[in-house]
Each structure stands twice: as structure tokens, then as C-alpha cells.
Amino acid sequence: MAQTMGVRSIVVSVEGMTCNSCVQTIEQQIGKLNGLHSIKVSLQEKNAAIIYNPKLQTPESLREAIDDMGFNAILADPNP
Amino acid sequence: MPKHEFFVDMTCEGCSNAVTRVLNKLGGVQFDIDLHNKKVSIESEHSVDTLLDTLKKTGKTASYLGEK
């Protein structure tokens, strides 16, 4: 997937989620952003796997978007 | 300072923590979160619109209940 032109994926660590409704709101909110292809949030692993268009989003802008929602987001591995 | 009461659809502690974080980021607010009743009362010089927008950043349903 990462090889495809115009598509990149990252994993962002997200701290502070405690239930499924937190997971859902993040998926809904971040999924609405421009250039987002898909987002999968894991409550157990405390992270969000995001596939996005690097022309429209950067890892930092994605991290900030989650941070803005009130969760502590940290860029984990830039090349999962 | 005026005290405003908002309804925020919080379901767990993670939700109320998120609300706490966004409000602290905004700054200039004193607030109380009542998770059980899904209410947030905020004492602030910020306008109601600013506060409501901030609460909505969490992605939860939020509405203004009125002055307290």
C-alpha cells in the first residue's frame, strides 16, 4: 500500500482513550479530514493506523488533529 | 465572570479527559465537569460560541444550556 503513488500510511500512538466511544469519535472526526483514505483505531494497542494522501496531510498534521480532540497523540513509527 | 452551562455527550472518563484537555488548551477558563449528567459548567470571559466550538473539537455532541 505504501508503495502506491500518493498513498502513505502511519501509526500514531494515542493515549487517553478509555472506551469504544472514544475510538469511534476519533475515527469519525479524523476520517472526515481531507486526504484521508482510512483510519483504524485500536483501543487495546492505543494507536491509530492511518492511510492518507501525503499531498494533503502530513504525519504532523494528523497528530495535531488527534491532539486537538483532546487526546495525547505521539508519532510512533513513521515507516510501519 | 459569567458562568455557562453546556451539555456534552460524554460517555466515559476518556471523554471527560478529552474535554479537560481542549479547555485547558484554550486557556482562561475555569470549569467543572459532571460526567454523570453530561454537563460542563464553564466560567470564562470567552464568548459562548468560542466555548462551544472548543467543546465540539472533541467530536462529541455539544450544546449550550444557558447561563447559570
Side-chain angles (χ1 to χ4, degrees):
Chain A
M1 188 75 89
Q3 252 67 41
T4 321
M5 276 280 276
V7 177
R8 215 168 271 178
S9 66
I10 53 159
V11 175
V12 184
S13 298
V14 184
E15 298 281 338
M17 300 184 292
T18 56
C19 70
N20 271 321
S21 100
C22 301
V23 168
Q24 275 170 18
T25 44
I26 293 180
E27 285 185 342
Q28 279 166 11
Q29 286 287 108
I30 304 301
K32 272 192 278 186
L33 294 177
N34 264 342
L36 249 284
H37 291 294
S38 86
I39 173 164
K40 183 85 199 78
V41 178
S42 163
L43 183 60
Q44 226 164 19
E45 288 168 36
K46 293 184 180 166
N47 64 22
I50 305 170
I51 298 169
Y52 65 102
N53 181 342
K55 281 189 185 135
L56 296 167
Q57 295 288 342
T58 64
E60 182 55 27
S61 71
L62 295 167
R63 192 201 62 80
E64 232 178 70
I66 299 175
D67 206 75
D68 256 2
M69 291 180 62
F71 295 96
N72 196 6
I74 303 146
L75 290 177
D77 189 356
N79 303 300
Chain B
M1 260 195 280
K3 193 164 193 176
H4 303 290
E5 208 172 39
F6 296 88
F7 166 85
V8 183
D9 195 11
M10 303 172 284
T11 48
C12 68
E13 234 158 84
C15 306
S16 68
N17 283 340
V19 171
T20 304
R21 282 183 57 123
V22 292
L23 285 176
N24 280 335
K25 253 192 185 177
L26 177 68
V29 289
Q30 286 222 303
F31 58 92
D32 255 334
I33 297 178
D34 182 346
L35 182 57
H36 187 70
N37 292 310
K38 301 188 176 186
K39 276 180 187 168
V40 181
S41 33
I42 308 174
E43 217 174 310
S44 168
E45 295 290 357
H46 290 295
S47 72
V48 169
D49 284 344
T50 307
L51 296 172
L52 196 55
D53 281 348
T54 304
L55 292 171
K56 281 185 177 161
K57 270 189 184 178
T58 59
K60 309 196 184 306
T61 311
S63 58
Y64 183 48
L65 294 175
E67 222 162 297
K68 214 179 174 186

